[in-house]
Amino acid sequence: MRRGAPGGFVKRLYGGTYFGHTAEHMAIEMSNVLGREVSFGRTVGTADPAVFDVIMECPLDEPYDSEISEKLLENAIGLILALTRGETPALPDLSEIQRRYERERPGPSTQAIARAARERDIPVERVGDLSLLRLGYGRHRRLVWAALTDQTSAIGVDIAGDKELTRQLLAEAGIPVARGGAAEDEATALQLFEELGPPVVVKPRGGRQGRHVYLGIDTPDAVRTAYRAATAEGGQAVVERQVDGRDYRVLTVGGEIVAAAERVAAHVIGDGRTDIEGLIERANRDPRRGVGHARALTRLAIDEVAATLLGRQGLAAHDVPETGHIVWLRDNANLSTGGTSVDVTARVHPSVADLCRRVAGLVGLDIAGIDLRLPDIAEELPLDCGGVIEVNAAPGLRMHLEQHDVGAAIVDALFPAGTPSRVPTVAITGTNGKTTVARLTAHLLSGAGLRVGLTTTDGVVVGGRLVQRADATGPRSAQVVLGDPTVDAAVLETARGGLVRQGLGYDWSDVGVITNLVSDHLGQDGIESMEDLVDLKSIVAERVREGGAIILNADDPRSRDLEFSGREIIWCSLDPRNPLVRRHWDSGGRAYLLADGWLVELAARRWVPLLAAHEFGGGFGGAARHLVANALAATAAARVLGVTTARVAERLRTFGADPADNPGRGMLLRCADVHVLVDYAHNPAAIAAVSDLVERVWGCERAVAAITLPGDRRDDLLRESAAVVASRFGRIVLYEDHDLRGRAMGEVPGILRDELRRAAPHAECVQVRTVDEAVPAALALARPGDVVLLLYEKIEPVLAMLGALGAHHAGEVGVTDVNLGKTMAWTGTG
């Protein structure tokens, strides 16, 4: 029996398996005992042999911050530890976890709507532990809360919530309703009772879910008692003539009947042996019964209302009813008070259907639960029938779900056939260049008239305005953008941390971009090797929808080894002679290149020059080859989403004209007679790329490097970064991040200093504590006409400090004598 096959874990136990693996399977089994059905789990070792990473499946729509999995694992670990000590452990008490699960899980109505949306490939996001669902993305996003939608009229809800107003409104429209009125005191209630005659119904004017509804009231004393109970929470009571007939609920959605049920009040049936309490206990064993609205049926109970009704039947809780004798626990037939239902949808008479459509329209509800009292719903509607008893906004769907997909009816009303539910979405990952590619892509799409939602390491931007300042590269930030109904397109920078800890935050994208794959973040969050990092970043490409596009870097060795099926692969390269790109183009594929000093599109066996590289805004006249590579990737993404070549060229020219276009990435300022190049490079490859730019424009002999590196990088990566700096710069200032990220103070600069002394013993190296000291120190080392390369931790304080020193945006600086690209040397059509 192979690993991963059913029964594989049991076989592993005979040969021995590790602690974490056993805990994983025990926790999954406990989860299923709770009715929380999950099956997937995986346990992997870490660099510490005593520590395991355990991954467990969670049910769809379980809140992100739920602690249930953690609690199950804690119970499993305790059980295993007891067994290893030779003890006979007591089985864990899961009752509290069970209660938490029942509180957190979506109710049947919410589950039905979510399931129906997913079956139509409509994105679904549950908000916390509420019954509120976001369906769709961006401007196509819709909201559903139980059976309320963002189309539901607030006026309709208020009318339905006022039982007397509803009765009056329907009566004026000629709808058959019970005679009655509202009572603001006992005297009025008694007067209505005298006018209507017994029996009457007394209920709260603003009641819901059948609470405090009293039927069969036939004496003045009973009226007083019912009135007090119905108004115990304030407000008025409604007194109505009780209508004979059977109790029906008709559900309308979008003005059409989708289900109807006959409701039966809560009851048990005697067997001649068991008392009423025992009959109730037996009924509650039905797995469909739960607390509140968590399950298809509600648990039965002997509360004050039930005890009173038992007394009217001459019974008490410990009495044993005869076989077949029906014992009623409620007068009203609401499911929320323990009632049951029988589907009668196919039997609804056309006259009744027409009545219900009129009622929903008169009240103004897109989704309505209409309560009827009729002799038989299958017969012609009598003119003198009691007819409509109540109209309910946000009606419960539970009674209909076993026979009808009412969730689908609601979803279809919100998203009629052919209605889009998504906005174009680009997800960008990789090691370096993610932020710039994301900003560039958003810049190109906004130029096409789209209102773009953008997430990057600097925050969330909607419509060009920063709305949230944070490291916004995780799933929560993605949901901020995708849940915004003003957004036409989404561009999501997707970084390692959020992906490892909480996932993507979306189900599918249209375009996935992997900028490059080089060493960084190794040793963090279980990412121990480049293979781990490649696997993780590849998730972004794997979640591109079928028929979408994956944009890869043909100049990056690890990207060239990636394989994906069912999506278009688009290659980008700074080398038009790249053999991979040539083969791809020969086979009809699409690519974006730097060739003969131009950004070029290759598609449909044609190559089309888009823009001269020296015209690319913020690209230092084409000298910043890493920024040109970013522009190729962003261009590819924009072209996939339909932006024209002319619009792409126009927008590429204007990128960087505003310093806010790409703050902190290749950002050039001038302070007196010295340039300051501000960049976020923080790994060897990124530092090498920005050093190449310095070399092309100024020459490294005219440069000072002021550097800091994050403390959560491995020592070998810190030393490798320092070696790159040592190979390029002769004047260096070292400083330390404010956030030490687990390091001792002075530890990171010490590692960098030691490597610099080893690799470049003659370099002039100054070590200071903070960026506030580093910038003046670097400017002091610089000569007129020099450039200071400033690598930073947080951009805002750096820019504030430079502003205080009189620095200003330097505008375009570049070179004209740099080889910007090899000759195309292909036969093509321009």
Side-chain angles (χ1 to χ4, degrees):
M1 186 180 294
R2 63 180 177 82
R3 294 181 181 183
F9 172 68
V10 175
K11 184 175 181 181
R12 291 280 299 278
L13 289 176
Y14 285 101
T17 188
Y18 37 90
F19 187 100
H21 189 211
T22 307
E24 167 212 323
H25 278 269
M26 278 196 172
I28 289 174
E29 181 61 26
M30 291 179 190
S31 178
N32 284 281
V33 167
L34 300 178
R36 180 180 177 268
E37 297 181 1
V38 298
S39 58
F40 175 80
R42 181 162 297 168
T43 301
V44 294
T46 66
D48 184 343
V51 176
F52 298 94
D53 285 334
V54 179
I55 303 165
M56 283 175 53
E57 178 186 2
C58 295
L60 278 173
D61 302 318
E62 188 166 270
Y64 280 109
D65 57 356
S66 174
E67 297 178 351
I68 290 177
S69 291
E70 180 182 351
K71 297 298 182 184
L72 290 171
L73 278 169
E74 288 175 357
N75 275 276
I77 290 168
L79 190 58
I80 298 168
L81 288 174
L83 289 169
T84 58
R85 292 192 295 264
E87 301 172 3
T88 303
L91 291 177
D93 181 5
L94 301 179
S95 56
E96 177 54 38
I97 302 177
Q98 178 81 64
R99 285 191 290 271
R100 182 174 298 198
Y101 171 56
E102 295 293 342
R103 287 197 306 270
E104 291 183 354
R105 68 183 302 198
S109 299
T110 304
Q111 285 180 317
I113 295 169
R115 181 175 58 252
R118 290 189 173 104
E119 288 175 354
R120 283 192 50 188
D121 195 33
I122 295 171
V124 177
E125 186 65 35
R126 183 184 178 201
V127 179
D129 60 356
L130 304 174
S131 296
L132 178 62
L133 298 177
R134 288 196 295 258
L135 306 183
Y137 288 153
R139 65 189 180 94
H140 303 302
R141 186 221 71 181
R142 309 304 303 270
L143 295 177
V144 183
W145 194 323
L148 287 174
T149 78
D150 53 16
Q151 290 183 340
T152 302
S153 162
I155 294 176
V157 173
D158 283 348
I159 291 172
D162 186 329
K163 305 306 179 186
E164 175 61 13
L165 177 58
T166 301
R167 195 186 64 78
Q168 292 177 2
L169 182 70
L170 296 181
E172 291 172 359
I175 301 295
V177 295
R179 293 184 299 117
E184 59 186 13
D185 51 40
E186 283 186 23
T188 307
L190 288 168
Q191 181 181 345
L192 285 167
F193 173 69
E194 292 296 328
E195 294 173 359
L196 298 170
V200 297
V201 177
V202 179
K203 57 187 177 182
R205 182 167 182 168
R208 56 192 298 267
Q209 297 178 353
R211 296 177 61 220
H212 301 301
V213 175
Y214 301 94
L215 286 76
I217 304 300
D218 55 5
T219 67
D221 285 343
V223 170
R224 293 187 185 94
T225 300
Y227 177 84
R228 291 166 190 162
T231 59
E233 298 175 8
Q236 298 179 345
V238 172
V239 181
E240 293 179 343
R241 172 74 180 178
Q242 183 164 320
V243 178
D244 293 332
R246 296 155 77 175
D247 198 314
Y248 297 102
R249 162 65 65 85
V250 177
L251 178 69
T252 67
V253 178
E256 296 298 327
I257 292 176
V258 297
E262 181 176 358
R263 301 188 300 176
V264 181
H267 67 281
V268 291
I269 301 176
D271 62 3
R273 301 183 307 274
T274 311
D275 66 14
I276 293 172
E277 279 192 344
L279 293 171
I280 290 174
E281 181 183 351
R282 182 189 302 165
N284 285 337
R285 292 177 197 154
D286 184 341
R288 295 176 301 165
R289 290 196 182 272
V291 177
H293 297 82
R295 297 185 181 269
L297 298 173
T298 299
R299 292 174 65 87
L300 303 175
I302 299 181
D303 55 12
E304 182 180 351
V305 175
T308 301
L309 185 54
L310 286 175
R312 285 165 48 192
Q313 299 170 79
L315 296 170
H318 296 296
D319 289 340
V320 177
E322 296 178 0
T323 301
H325 182 77
I326 298 176
V327 178
W328 298 102
L329 303 174
R330 280 291 190 280
D331 279 322
N332 65 320
N334 295 67
L335 260 68
S336 56
T337 57
T340 56
S341 64
V342 178
D343 182 64
V344 295
T345 307
R347 299 181 61 241
V348 176
H349 192 275
S351 63
V352 178
D354 184 65
L355 170 75
C356 293
R357 284 191 288 267
R358 288 183 62 208
V359 168
L362 286 166
V363 175
L365 291 174
D366 60 329
I367 303 173
I370 301 168
D371 294 342
L372 305 172
R373 274 290 181 93
L374 300 171
D376 191 337
I377 202 169
E379 297 176 356
E380 177 81 32
L381 186 71
L383 290 178
D384 58 349
C385 72
V388 178
I389 304 302
E390 287 188 3
V391 180
N392 299 275
L397 308 180
R398 294 185 294 163
M399 69 185 75
H400 309 297
L401 292 176
E402 289 189 5
Q403 291 80 25
H404 301 281
D405 193 353
V406 294
I410 292 172
V411 171
D412 290 345
L414 291 170
F415 296 91
T419 301
S421 63
R422 300 172 181 270
V423 294
T425 301
V426 182
I428 299 159
T429 194
T431 305
N432 296 320
K434 299 185 296 296
T435 299
T436 299
V437 172
R439 289 169 173 166
L440 265 166
T441 303
H443 184 74
L444 298 180
L445 294 177
S446 63
L450 299 175
R451 180 173 170 87
V452 181
L454 167 67
T455 68
T456 71
T457 53
D458 288 337
V460 177
V461 175
V462 176
R465 182 182 296 277
L466 183 68
V467 298
Q468 186 180 65
R469 190 182 300 282
D471 182 351
T473 56
R476 299 297 180 90
S477 301
Q479 289 164 17
V480 169
V481 165
L482 293 171
D484 190 319
T486 70
V487 165
D488 298 318
V491 179
L492 310 173
E493 180 181 347
T494 307
R496 166 205 55 83
L499 189 56
V500 168
R501 298 181 191 107
Q502 289 188 315
L504 290 169
Y506 62 87
D507 56 355
W508 300 100
S509 66
D510 299 284
V511 182
V513 181
I514 300 179
T515 58
N516 52 31
L517 296 164
V518 297
S519 297
D520 200 6
H521 293 290
L522 301 184
Q524 300 177 45
D525 296 318
I527 307 300
E528 302 298 335
S529 66
M530 277 305 300
E531 289 72 21
D532 293 339
L533 189 63
V534 170
D535 287 345
L536 180 68
K537 300 284 188 178
S538 295
I539 292 173
V540 168
E542 290 164 0
R543 296 306 294 181
V544 171
R545 64 173 175 80
E546 188 171 346
I550 300 171
I551 298 166
L552 300 173
N553 184 349
D555 300 330
D556 177 50
R558 290 188 175 87
S559 297
R560 291 196 293 263
D561 292 336
L562 298 176
E563 294 184 5
F564 305 100
S565 61
R567 295 91 163 172
E568 179 187 8
I569 302 298
I570 300 175
W571 291 102
C572 299
S573 177
L574 296 174
D575 180 6
R577 298 175 183 267
N578 187 305
L580 171 62
V581 176
R582 179 59 190 261
R583 290 193 302 271
H584 186 66
W585 191 52
D586 285 343
S587 64
R590 195 164 17 165
Y592 292 83
L593 306 175
L594 175 65
D596 298 333
W598 283 75
L599 279 70
V600 178
E601 176 182 83
L602 281 75
R605 301 292 300 153
R606 296 169 59 87
W607 64 273
V608 179
L610 300 173
L611 181 76
H614 71 268
E615 295 183 75
F616 167 43
F620 293 85
R625 290 174 62 84
H626 63 293
L627 295 179
V628 174
N630 293 337
L632 292 171
T635 297
R639 290 288 291 135
V640 169
L641 297 183
V643 183
T644 65
T645 55
R647 186 56 54 85
V648 165
E650 173 193 334
R651 295 295 284 179
L652 288 176
R653 286 189 189 94
T654 61
F655 186 71
D658 184 339
D661 285 347
N662 201 22
R665 305 303 196 273
M667 189 175 190
L668 190 65
L669 298 94
R670 190 171 186 89
C671 190
D673 51 5
V674 175
H675 281 112
V676 180
L677 178 62
V678 181
D679 200 271
Y680 188 59
H682 53 276
N683 58 53
I687 295 171
V690 75
S691 298
D692 286 343
L693 168 61
V694 170
E695 179 63 46
R696 290 191 182 95
V697 178
W698 293 275
C700 284
E701 69 280 357
R702 301 296 307 274
V704 178
I707 70 169
T708 184
L709 291 174
D712 57 2
R713 298 320 194 257
R714 283 189 336 203
D715 288 4
D716 59 329
L717 293 176
L718 294 174
R719 287 191 289 269
E720 189 177 342
S721 295
V724 173
V725 174
S727 69
R728 304 296 186 94
F729 300 94
R731 290 169 286 167
I732 303 162
V733 177
L734 298 176
Y735 73 98
E736 189 162 44
D737 281 358
H738 174 73
D739 182 358
L740 300 179
R741 305 195 190 195
R743 296 276 189 171
M745 186 173 291
E747 185 178 357
V748 170
I751 293 171
L752 300 178
R753 183 188 62 246
D754 292 346
E755 181 62 25
L756 289 169
R757 286 174 175 171
R758 186 200 64 78
H762 302 297
E764 186 176 359
C765 184
V766 176
Q767 182 175 339
V768 296
R769 292 177 299 171
T770 66
V771 68
D772 292 337
E773 298 173 357
V775 172
L779 291 172
L781 290 177
R783 299 181 290 268
D786 283 356
V787 63
V788 171
L789 172 62
L790 175 59
L791 307 186
Y792 64 90
E793 176 191 12
K794 298 288 184 183
I795 187 62
E796 292 82 8
V798 167
L799 294 181
M801 179 182 54
L802 287 169
L805 293 174
H808 58 275
H809 185 53
E812 284 294 319
V813 173
V815 292
T816 57
D817 58 349
V818 175
N819 179 15
L820 297 179
K822 298 180 183 178
T823 302
M824 177 72 80
W826 295 3
T827 300
T829 306

